[in-house]
Amino acid sequence: MLCFVVPFGQSLAWKRGDLVGVAQRLSVALAAGLCVCVALFAMLRGGPVLAPIAAGLAIYIILGSLSEIFARVWRRGASFGLLLSRARGLPLSAWGSALAHIGVGLTLMGLAATAFGAETIATMRVGEPQSVGPYEVTFQTLGSRAGPNYSEVVAKAEIRSGGTLVATVEPAKRFFPARQSSTTQAALRRCGSASSIFR
């Protein structure tokens, strides 16, 4: 509910706001958010329920924040130069408010996007495949390797999709004797439209 009223808060002037006028201006943003929400529900078909709702709200907040700037700058028949001049003439508080609300929308979009990923925490054995979302990961080997100022234990794993090899990754655990510290080197690979991270 709070996300729904965020664009209203930016557009309503204190004690003299026009609620009906603001609602009319935000109708386009609301329609766009609903379209995104419905489209994601249709695409996912049984996926996470809150993610499409959050994505639709994010679009609504972002476009709703921009609509206030648009309403203050736009004049029918005005040249682009005049519109640019009007945009530059807006007080910094108007731009700051819009950017802050857009930031809320982008944060919500990022949170919604995490629901479309796949994560599996498992103990793997050599040669044993593990399903992670649409991919299959097979742990191949485990060995030691020396670096310029560290030693590391390296795991090798293959990523397959539908039986086809799409990537080979080598996450590692590094030890630095000089500092007596260790770090984990995650293996990052982009497979088609998805990114894979292995630790």
Side-chain angles (χ1 to χ4, degrees), residues 18-68:
D18 178 12
L19 183 59
V20 175
V22 171
Q24 288 175 342
R25 287 204 304 270
L26 293 176
S27 59
V28 174
L30 182 60
L34 285 174
C35 288
V36 169
C37 183
V38 170
L40 287 176
F41 268 122
M43 288 167 54
L44 290 176
R45 293 185 181 178
V49 175
L50 291 179
I53 296 173
L57 278 172
I59 295 297
Y60 161 69
I61 291 172
I62 292 170
L63 294 181
S65 301
L66 291 173
S67 72
E68 173 64 14

Side-chain angles (χ1 to χ4, degrees), residues 74-104:
W74 176 255
R75 287 295 177 271
R76 186 184 297 273
S79 66
F80 178 75
L82 178 59
L83 296 179
L84 195 60
S85 175
R86 289 177 61 85
R88 284 199 300 262
L90 288 179
L92 291 179
S93 60
W95 288 106
S97 175
L99 289 175
H101 287 84
I102 289 170
V104 172

Side-chain angles (χ1 to χ4, degrees), residues 86-191:
R86 289 177 61 85
R88 284 199 300 262
L90 288 179
L92 291 179
S93 60
W95 288 106
S97 175
L99 289 175
H101 287 84
I102 289 170
V104 172
L106 291 176
T107 301
L108 191 58
M109 183 68 78
L111 292 172
T114 60
F116 299 106
E119 180 178 350
T120 300
I121 300 174
T123 301
M124 300 183 70
R125 295 180 177 83
V126 174
E128 185 177 290
Q130 175 71 47
S131 295
V132 182
Y135 298 100
E136 188 177 80
V137 181
T138 306
F139 178 26
Q140 296 292 323
T141 60
L142 184 67
S144 300
R145 195 162 57 191
N149 63 338
Y150 59 84
S151 60
E152 63 180 354
V153 178
V154 184
K156 183 179 179 181
E158 291 182 347
I159 306 171
R160 295 180 181 274
S161 177
T164 304
L165 180 67
V166 293
T168 300
V169 294
E170 294 186 346
K173 188 80 170 180
R174 290 183 178 175
F175 176 70
F176 297 84
R179 293 180 293 175
Q180 290 294 300
S181 64
S182 2
T183 61
T184 300
Q185 299 297 117
L188 305 173
R189 287 295 183 274
R190 187 164 186 83
C191 304

